[in-house]
Amino acid sequence: MSVHTNIKKVTTHTLLEMKRRGEKISMLTAYDFSMARIIDSAGIDVILVGDSASNVMAGHETTLPITLDQMIYHASSVIRAVNRALVVVDLPFGSYQGNSKEALNSAIRIMKESGAHAVKMEGGREIKESIERILTAGIPVMGHLGLTPQSIYKFGTYTVRAKEEIEAQRLQEDSLLLQEYGCFGIVLEKIPAKLATVVSKDLSIPTIGIGAGNGTDGQVLVSHDMLGINNEFSPRFLRRYANLYEDIGRAVKNYVADVKSADFPNQNEQY
Ligand code: KIV
């Protein structure tokens, strides 16, 4: 009998039920087996294999360079570790904006080659056709509105979005449209808390916020940021739960010192 028989897996329906009963949804990013194993075992509801892998794993300045093949590699590593969480994978820049057939092919590759449970796409009404075509193939889609890092060169900065009435209005409309198309949830990134609260109340599908205040149905953070592995990024919305940059640095310094002084390995650490 499998060890994991009793684990109740999180599905897109679970998230809808959580919203209905007012239970907040927890979501974090992961890009590799070891981190995904820790995060899943600790009880996270959703793991996002975000295209932020482009920043935190590969060291790129933006999310634009990461490829579909690289996202599939990260997603399949995560999937091998996960027993309970719903695993959502970002469709990377350039894999869905061209046309809906390309979008469908990209989503199918992610589902087939990684074993992921859903995909996430940035944008509103402009990607309607692609969302609907992917959904027709039975692939759940999560939306992403507000700060959409794949469009960074269009906006020019990573500052708070939808502060002006006209952009806020469009975001509200887009959130209702994404729900109408069939998305099972929407990430709201870096928008005013009041707007995120209104949007969340208007929708029957859950919203997951990052830098969008406490009125969303759940929260997401980049795991490397909240664990303090990346200590160069400290926006107001980020709460750090550990300082692994310092912890790992200290451990490595101790190891180097032990090797240099021939303290490591000792009698008990050899054959
Ligand atoms: O790629 C990512 O990590 C994301 C989150 C910031 C929501 O899209």
Side-chain angles (χ1 to χ4, degrees), residues 104-118:
L104 176 61
N105 288 342
S106 301
I108 287 177
R109 279 201 61 203
I110 285 182
M111 302 299 281
K112 220 180 174 73
E113 295 176 40
S114 77
H117 310 135

Side-chain angles (χ1 to χ4, degrees), residues 54-93:
S54 179
N55 310 111
V56 295
M57 300 302 284
H60 292 297
E61 214 171 289
T62 72
T63 58
L64 275 65
I66 200 160
T67 66
L68 185 58
D69 283 337
Q70 288 165 342
M71 289 303 296
I72 290 169
Y73 168 77
H74 287 299
S76 52
S77 305
V78 166
I79 278 288
R80 283 192 284 275
V82 169
N83 294 311
R84 176 182 173 271
L86 180 80
V87 177
V88 181
V89 181
D90 266 334
L91 279 181
F93 176 71

Side-chain angles (χ1 to χ4, degrees), residues 27 29 31 48 50-53 63 90 120 122 144 187 189 210 220 222:
M27 174 161 150
T29 62
Y31 320 101
L48 172 66
D51 58 359
S52 50
T63 58
D90 266 334
K120 175 165 83 59
E122 295 182 7
H144 184 154
V187 165
E189 181 164 356
I210 172 164
V220 58
V222 170

Side-chain angles (χ1 to χ4, degrees), residues 47-254:
I47 291 182
L48 172 66
V49 183
D51 58 359
S52 50
S54 179
N55 310 111
V56 295
M57 300 302 284
H60 292 297
E61 214 171 289
T62 72
T63 58
L64 275 65
I66 200 160
T67 66
L68 185 58
D69 283 337
Q70 288 165 342
M71 289 303 296
I72 290 169
Y73 168 77
H74 287 299
S76 52
S77 305
V78 166
I79 278 288
R80 283 192 284 275
V82 169
N83 294 311
R84 176 182 173 271
L86 180 80
V87 177
V88 181
V89 181
D90 266 334
L91 279 181
F93 176 71
S95 72
Y96 64 98
Q97 290 90 348
N99 58 59
S100 64
K101 187 161 185 275
E102 180 192 45
L104 176 61
N105 288 342
S106 301
I108 287 177
R109 279 201 61 203
I110 285 182
M111 302 299 281
K112 220 180 174 73
E113 295 176 40
S114 77
H117 310 135
V119 296
K120 175 165 83 59
M121 299 161 75
E122 295 182 7
R125 63 198 78 179
E126 68 280 7
I127 54 166
K128 171 182 195 279
E129 240 183 79
S130 296
I131 292 174
E132 287 181 339
R133 196 148 179 189
I134 292 171
L135 285 165
T136 308
I139 301 171
V141 176
M142 177 170 244
H144 184 154
L145 296 172
L147 174 61
T148 46
Q150 291 179 10
S151 308
I152 186 58
Y153 291 118
K154 178 176 159 196
F155 294 110
T157 84
Y158 286 101
T159 53
V160 179
R161 291 286 140 74
K163 285 208 288 200
E164 305 301 329
E165 181 55 34
I166 193 153
E167 202 189 336
Q169 177 75 40
R170 189 180 165 91
L171 189 142
Q172 263 184 288
E173 288 167 12
D174 274 342
S175 67
L176 288 166
L177 287 170
L178 291 181
Q179 173 171 273
E180 198 181 300
Y181 304 156
C183 288
F184 70 86
I186 304 176
V187 165
L188 297 175
E189 181 164 356
K190 234 173 165 187
I191 62 169
K194 266 191 191 156
L195 174 63
T197 304
V198 170
V199 168
S200 304
K201 283 191 177 143
D202 277 354
L203 297 174
S204 55
I205 57 170
T207 58
I208 312 288
I210 172 164
N214 205 10
T216 53
D217 303 303
Q219 297 294 329
V220 58
L221 285 175
V222 170
S223 52
H224 286 60
D225 297 338
M226 61 84 80
L227 292 171
I229 296 175
N230 168 17
N231 70 347
E232 286 163 12
F233 182 64
S234 32
R236 190 205 293 199
F237 69 78
L238 176 64
R239 187 180 293 182
R240 275 199 216 292
Y241 288 84
N243 191 343
L244 294 192
Y245 186 93
E246 273 184 17
D247 291 348
I248 294 170
R250 199 176 312 113
V252 172
K253 278 182 192 158
N254 289 339

